[in-house]
Amino acid sequence: MKRLLNSLYITQPDVYLSLDGDNIVLIRDQEKIGRVPLHNLESVITVGFKGASPALMGYCSKKNISIVFLSSTGRFLARVIGESNGNVILRKKQYQVSSDEVASARIARNFIAGKIYNSKWILERMTRDYPLRIDVAKFKSISKQLSSLIREVRECEDLERLRGLEGQAAISYNRVFDEMILQQKEDFFFRSRSRRPPLDNVNAMLSFAYTLLANDTGAALESVGLDAYVGFLHRDRPGRISLALDVMEELRGIYADKFVLSLINKKIFNKKDFIKKENGSVLMTDDARRKFLTAWQSKKQEKITHPYLGEKIQWGLVPYAQSLLLARYLRGDLDEYPSFLWK
């Protein structure tokens, strides 16, 4: 299994990135404010970037270190990566399957089945851990609905129908998402999903978490030789890492959602960590983003036992493990892509 290396997060928008030997140098107002060795990094993620030198981008490309550029709101803009290390046979198979909607649906249904299963698990855990603080009957009812949808998804071979079933599951799950917020209810609430822009504190946190998860998943797919931009459920669109969005579906709830809920319920975040703009959009402050990224990096280091591989790995390697399993399926080494079914 791959070794999980560090990601360097740069949240100050006025910092220019340069190269000095084997180090990345952070420069602000022509003054060097930081220096980090590149040999123990797997990615550099910069928010609201000022720029990066061609020398640094060239070095990182050769060393297989990705540089990701996000807007000040956390929206993905671009990713600089080096020459693909995938083999042509694997990618040709990926493109062949992607062009066949029935074959695509047979893979995509496992992404969605995993997502719904994990959503159901989250609800069941809530009824077990907080029976006096939530509407247990409502949670159980929705859990039953999700079980029914999983059965339909597993038999589905039509992409449009599959998207409809996923949408039904998301609506049901979102109906109780607000009840899983147990603390600071006046400042943290969930009415519906708002993306561009996020319109409340919770949506601002969810959007940032999904962006980070998509980046980690895209990098993992590229590292095993797959094309992160050619998906099965999410179809081709210029600039969209469609396959990364596919693979991360089963991780949204148990990885990103639970992470955001823990930051709120443990009161690591509060209302002072957000700014509301005149157009209604809500942004995290610079300090809040740094706090978020520090916690995200810590989360990636936590150990779990992978439910299919039976191997102890770090949470940050789960996207890599799923990417590896997907590549094995496409090569014909596995009869079916195994969803990440957490419990």
Side-chain angles (χ1 to χ4, degrees), residues 33-284:
I33 61 170
R35 174 189 295 265
V36 179
L38 283 160
H39 68 271
N40 65 343
L41 295 180
E42 63 181 353
S43 63
V44 177
I45 301 166
T46 176
V47 181
F49 69 97
K50 183 176 181 180
S53 73
L56 175 65
M57 290 190 282
Y59 180 99
C60 289
S61 295
K62 290 179 182 178
K63 299 293 185 180
N64 200 30
I65 302 170
S66 64
I67 303 180
V68 180
F69 300 105
L70 307 179
S71 72
S72 59
T73 61
R75 184 168 62 86
F76 175 83
L77 296 175
R79 182 160 60 99
V80 177
I81 55 175
E83 183 179 1
S84 171
N85 60 0
N87 64 69
V88 65
I89 297 174
L90 175 61
R91 291 206 174 195
K92 285 177 71 175
K93 181 63 176 178
Q94 178 188 356
Y95 302 148
Q96 178 187 342
V97 173
S98 179
S99 65
D100 183 335
E101 291 205 359
V102 173
S104 291
R106 289 172 182 160
I107 300 177
R109 66 188 179 187
N110 285 18
F111 299 142
I112 300 306
K115 177 182 182 179
I116 300 174
Y117 175 92
N118 291 328
S119 297
K120 173 183 168 64
W121 176 85
I122 292 171
L123 303 189
E124 290 292 341
R125 281 290 297 267
M126 288 295 295
T127 63
R128 187 194 72 184
D129 295 343
Y130 304 101
L132 301 180
R133 304 189 66 178
I134 63 171
D135 185 338
V136 172
K138 184 178 180 181
F139 273 65
K140 287 289 186 181
S141 174
I142 291 177
S143 177
K144 187 176 180 180
Q145 293 173 26
L146 295 181
S147 293
S148 177
L149 287 169
I150 291 172
R151 289 192 289 271
E152 290 188 64
V153 165
R154 290 195 185 281
E155 300 299 322
C156 184
E157 293 189 349
D158 179 82
L159 283 175
E160 281 304 313
R161 173 66 176 154
L162 195 56
R163 294 186 187 100
L165 293 170
E166 189 276 334
Q168 292 179 46
I171 290 171
S172 295
Y173 172 75
N174 286 340
R175 280 175 53 201
V176 292
F177 191 89
D178 185 66
E179 293 187 46
M180 292 190 279
I181 301 172
L182 304 175
Q183 302 287 342
Q184 309 180 86
K185 296 291 289 185
E186 289 186 5
D187 302 312
F188 293 91
F189 50 82
F190 183 87
R191 302 292 180 262
S192 63
R193 185 76 179 100
S194 56
R195 296 173 176 82
R196 297 180 181 176
L199 300 177
D200 56 61
N201 299 345
V202 175
N203 272 292
M205 297 175 75
L206 288 173
S207 290
F208 198 36
Y210 294 155
T211 297
L212 295 174
L213 181 57
N215 170 66
D216 290 346
T217 307
L221 288 164
E222 296 284 350
S223 73
V224 302
L226 290 166
D227 188 334
Y229 290 84
V230 179
F232 304 114
L233 177 67
H234 295 83
R235 308 308 285 175
D236 297 347
R237 182 185 298 175
R240 182 170 75 176
I241 47 176
S242 296
L243 187 57
L245 297 178
D246 284 356
V247 174
M248 69 177 273
E249 286 292 354
E250 54 203 280
L251 303 178
R252 282 181 186 267
I254 52 166
Y255 200 131
D257 292 0
K258 282 180 63 62
F259 175 76
V260 167
L261 288 169
S262 71
L263 294 181
I264 298 170
N265 290 333
K266 292 179 180 178
K267 298 184 178 180
I268 297 171
F269 269 63
N270 58 58
K271 64 181 181 180
K272 296 179 181 179
D273 290 313
F274 302 88
I275 301 171
K276 189 161 188 174
K277 297 289 189 176
E278 292 181 359
N279 66 353
S281 64
V282 175
L283 307 177
M284 283 189 280

Side-chain angles (χ1 to χ4, degrees), residues 293-313:
L293 292 168
T294 299
W296 182 264
Q297 192 66 21
S298 295
K299 172 70 176 177
K300 289 170 67 173
Q301 302 292 335
E302 293 177 8
K303 290 278 187 81
I304 63 162
T305 300
H306 191 282
Y308 178 81
L309 298 173
E311 181 180 345
K312 271 193 174 293
I313 63 173

